Amino acid sequence: MTRALALWLGGAAVLTALGVGLWDGTNLAGAVVAAGWSVTAAGCQLVGRPAVARWAVLVAALQAAAAIWTDVVPVAVAGWLAFALALPDGELRSVPRRAIAALAAVLGVGLSVLTGPPSLHGLAAVLAAATGAAGIILRCGAASPRQRAALQWTGAGLLLAGSAGATLIGLYLLLGVPADPLTWLVVALVVVPVGALLGHVPSTAHVGDKALLEAVVAAGFTVMIASVYLVVVLGLGRLPEAGERDLLVSSMAAALVVAVLAFPLRVRLLATARAITGRGGVPPEEVLATFGARMSRAVPFDELLLQLAESLKAAMAPAGAEIWVGSDGVLHRTLSVPELPTARLELNERERIVVGRTRVGGASWLAVWMPGLLVEGAGPIRVAPAAHLGELLGLIVVRRPVDAPPFSEADDQVLVQLGRQVGLALHNMRLDSALQASLDELRRRNEELQASRLRIVTAADAARRAIERDLHDGAQQHLVALSVKLSLAGEIIAEEPATTGNLFDELRADVQGTIAALRELAHGVYPPLLRNHGLDHALRSAARRSPLPCSVSVDLPRRYSEEIEAAVYFCCLEAIQNAGKHAGADAAITVELEATGGTLRFEVADDGTGFATGDAGHGFVNMRDRLGAIGGSLTVESDLGAGTRIRGEIPVPPG
C-alpha cells in the first residue's frame, strides 16, 4: 500500500510539475527539476527512507512554487540547503545544522518578500551550494558505509551540476551561447535529486565512491577544456565572430565528448583485448595494488574486506569469494560475494599450525586439512591463509565454475600476497582492540585510585578528629581531675596531715586509670602487640575482646613489613567487629592466616545471619582501600542465613 501510494504521488507530482512548465514555457526548466525531486521522493519512500522522502517532497513543492512564482526562488534554495544538511538519514541531528537550516529559511523568506534582483538570488544559490557541499564533506568521515554512499552520490550530483553551470556561464560570456543560459543552468540541477536517489537505492548505493570519482574526473575534464578554449579566445585578443564562434563551439563539444568517452572506451578496449588473449576481467595484480592502496587510507575494516571480496570475484573468482576471520582455531565466514549464510570452522592444534604456515591450497590440500570448505561438484578452488608470524587469523577463499580454467601461478602469487596483507591488517586490528581495552582498564583503575585517595584522606581526617575527641573526653578529663585533687591535697596536708592517706590512695587510682585510658587509646592507633610480637599475638588479643566466641589460626613462616601486617590486622579486626555487631548472639567467628606461593591469605568467617552482598557497607570499602594500596584484593561471600566469609590476598616478597 505504501509503495503504491508513493508511486501514485510521485507520478502525480511529475505530471503536475510538467503541466505547470508546459502551461508557462518560460518556467519549464524549474518544472523539470521539481519533477526530478518528486521522483526522488517516491523512490526514497519505496526503498524505506521515509524521512529523506519527506524532505524531497518539501523541496519538490518549493521548486514547483518557484517555477510559477520566481520571487520564491530564495525559499526553494533554502529548501535545497536543508535537504543537504539533513542527509544521509533525513534528520537534522546536530544543533549547528538546525541553526544553519533555520537561518537559511529566514533569509530565503526575507529575500522573497523584498523581491531582490536575480543576481542576489544567484549569489544565495552559490552560497547554499557551498555550505551544503561543506556539510556533506564534514559528515563523510564519521558516517557508516551506507550513509557515506548517500553522501557520495549527492556530492557527485552537486559536483556535476556545479561544473555544468560553470561551463555554461563561461560559454555564454565568451561565445554568447546558449542564448538563454539561465534555463540550462536550472535544467542542470536535475542531476542533484537523481544523485540523492541513487545514493539510497541498494543496487546503486554501494558504488557511491566510484560515482564520486567519475564525477570528479568529468568535472576536471570539463574545466580543463573550458580553460583551454578560454586561452584560445584570449590569444585571439577579441571575441570570435559568427563563423569562428560556430567552429569554436563545435570543437569544444567534440573535445568534451572525447573526454567523457575516453575512460569507458579505454576500459572496454582493454576488456576486449584481454578477452582475445584469454585474460578477461580485472587483472589480479590490480586487485593486489588496489587493496594495498585502500589499506593506507582510513577505510573501515569491514568495508575494506567487502571491497576485497568484490574485487576478487570480478578478477579471478566468478563463482564467489569468501573472507573468514577468527582466532584460536575457530573461524567464521564474515562475508561473501555472492552472499552466503554464516558458517563456522573449527581446527585442532595441528591443523591450525599447518594451515597458518601454508602459502596457498587447492582442492587436494583442502580434502586433507579443511574438507568442510569443499563443495561436491564444484569447480576449482583456492584458499590463502591470512596469518601473521605463523598465527592463523583468517582465510581468503576463491571459487570458479566447473568449466572455468584452473588458477594460474600468477593468481596463486596474488592470493599469497593478499593473505599476508589481510593477516597483517587483522593483527593490527587485534592490537588496536587490545590497546583500547587496556586504555579502558587504565581509565577505570585511575578513577578507582582517585576515589580511593579521596576516601583515604577523608578517613585520615576522621581518625585525627576521633583521636582528638578521645584525648579530650578521656585522658584529658582524668588529668584535669588529677590536677584538682593535687591542689586539694596540698591544702589538706597543711591543715589536716592525718587525713591525707585516703586522698593519696584516690590519686594513685586516678593515675592508674589515666594510664589505662592512654594505653587503650594507643592500642587503637597501632597495637603494641602487633609491633612487638606480630599478627599471631595481636589477633589473639583482639579475639579475646570480641563479644562472640572467636578462634584464631595463624600459619605464617615469618614476620612481614609493617604495611602488610597493619593492613591484615585492621582488616581482620574490622571483620571481627562487624561479625560481633551483626552476626547474632549465637554465632561463632574463625580467623585463619596462611602464606603459600608468595601470597599471604586471610579469612574471617562466621556462621551467623549473613546479609545480601549488595548491602555491603563503608567498612568493606575501607578494607578494599587498605589492601588495594599494597596490591591486595578482598572477596566478600555472604547469603541471608548462611553466614559470611571475608577473604583477602596480598602478594608478599620471598623471604
Side-chain angles (χ1 to χ4, degrees), residues 19-20 30 135 142 150 162 273 286 312 334 376 384 387 394 444 476 502 507 514 575 654:
V20 169
E286 186 174 332
L312 285 173
T334 304
E376 185 176 356
R444 184 184 65 81
Q476 181 175 331
N502 293 334
L507 289 173
T514 302

Side-chain angles (χ1 to χ4, degrees), residues 509-590:
D510 290 342
V511 170
Q512 290 176 349
T514 302
I515 294 172
L518 289 172
R519 183 181 293 115
E520 185 68 23
L521 180 60
H523 190 276
V525 175
Y526 195 92
L529 279 175
L530 179 62
R531 181 187 302 109
N532 298 328
H533 301 286
L535 286 167
D536 192 358
H537 291 76
L539 287 175
R540 292 185 189 280
S541 175
R544 286 192 293 269
R545 299 193 301 272
S546 171
L548 299 178
C550 182
S551 61
V552 178
S553 173
V554 179
D555 182 15
L556 299 178
R558 59 186 175 86
R559 295 285 304 271
Y560 296 96
S561 65
E562 289 187 3
E563 294 83 2
I564 293 177
E565 290 189 345
V568 173
Y569 172 79
F570 284 109
C571 285
C572 291
L573 182 63
E574 180 88 22
I576 292 171
Q577 292 174 348
N578 286 343
K581 294 176 183 177
H582 307 293
D586 299 330
I589 306 171
T590 59

Side-chain angles (χ1 to χ4, degrees), residues 335-387:
L335 55 90
S336 57
V337 180
E339 186 173 355
L340 297 174
T342 58
R344 174 188 173 97
L345 183 65
E346 294 189 18
L347 304 177
N348 58 37
E349 184 67 22
R350 176 174 171 77
E351 292 171 343
R352 186 172 60 184
I353 294 175
V354 172
V355 173
R357 294 178 179 176
T358 302
R359 295 176 70 252
V360 66
S364 301
W365 179 82
L366 287 173
V368 176
W369 298 108
M370 289 186 293
L373 293 180
L374 291 175
V375 179
E376 185 176 356
I381 182 174
R382 280 291 188 276
V383 175

Side-chain angles (χ1 to χ4, degrees), residues 93 169 171 183 194 250 404 416 423 429 452 496 629:
R93 297 183 181 275
I169 293 174
L171 287 174
T183 299
V194 172
S250 301
V416 170
M429 186 176 67
S452 175
E496 301 178 15

Side-chain angles (χ1 to χ4, degrees), residues 164-446:
T167 303
L168 288 169
I169 293 174
L171 287 174
Y172 179 76
L173 293 176
L174 293 175
L175 307 176
V177 291
D180 185 11
L182 183 59
T183 299
W184 290 99
L185 284 173
V186 175
V187 170
L189 294 176
V190 77
V191 298
V192 177
V194 172
L197 174 60
L198 295 177
H200 289 94
V201 176
S203 59
T204 56
H206 66 283
V207 293
D209 55 342
K210 297 179 181 178
L212 183 59
L213 178 63
E214 296 297 335
V216 171
V217 173
F221 273 128
T222 303
V223 173
M224 181 192 69
I225 293 171
S227 301
V228 169
Y229 280 91
L230 175 62
V231 172
V232 171
V233 172
L234 293 177
L236 291 175
R238 56 180 175 81
L239 291 177
E241 298 176 354
E244 295 173 336
R245 183 181 305 164
D246 296 339
L247 180 61
L248 198 57
V249 171
S250 301
S251 61
M252 287 181 67
L256 183 60
V257 170
V258 171
V260 171
L261 297 180
F263 183 76
L265 183 60
R266 177 180 179 276
V267 172
R268 179 66 63 182
L269 291 174
L270 286 176
T272 304
R274 292 192 187 101
I276 295 174
T277 58
R279 298 185 60 188
V282 180
E285 297 81 3
E286 186 174 332
V287 177
L288 180 60
T290 303
F291 182 76
R294 287 171 178 164
M295 278 187 62
S296 62
R297 303 190 214 132
V299 179
F301 192 70
D302 54 348
E303 183 178 350
L304 186 67
L305 293 182
L306 177 60
Q307 293 174 355
L308 173 61
E310 292 174 344
S311 300
L312 285 173
K313 184 179 185 304
M316 65 172 70
E322 306 167 20
I323 306 294
W324 295 66
V325 176
S327 60
D328 299 327
V330 180
L331 303 174
H332 299 270
R333 181 158 53 202
T334 304
L335 55 90
S336 57
V337 180
E339 186 173 355
L340 297 174
T342 58
R344 174 188 173 97
L345 183 65
E346 294 189 18
L347 304 177
N348 58 37
E349 184 67 22
R350 176 174 171 77
E351 292 171 343
R352 186 172 60 184
I353 294 175
V354 172
V355 173
R357 294 178 179 176
T358 302
R359 295 176 70 252
V360 66
S364 301
W365 179 82
L366 287 173
V368 176
W369 298 108
M370 289 186 293
L373 293 180
L374 291 175
V375 179
E376 185 176 356
I381 182 174
R382 280 291 188 276
V383 175
H388 182 74
L389 299 178
E391 181 183 6
L392 182 63
L393 302 175
L395 299 172
I396 300 175
V397 182
V398 291
R399 305 177 187 271
R400 285 182 176 176
V402 178
D403 56 350
F407 290 93
S408 64
E409 182 67 27
D411 296 333
D412 290 347
Q413 187 62 34
V414 170
L415 289 174
V416 170
Q417 296 297 328
L418 284 174
R420 291 174 181 172
Q421 294 189 16
V422 172
L424 178 61
L426 290 171
H427 175 71
N428 291 338
M429 186 176 67
R430 291 177 60 183
L431 289 180
D432 290 342
S433 301
L435 179 60
Q436 185 61 45
S438 299
L439 289 175
D440 293 341
E441 179 66 18
L442 286 175
R443 191 178 296 109
R444 184 184 65 81
R445 288 184 176 272
N446 182 54

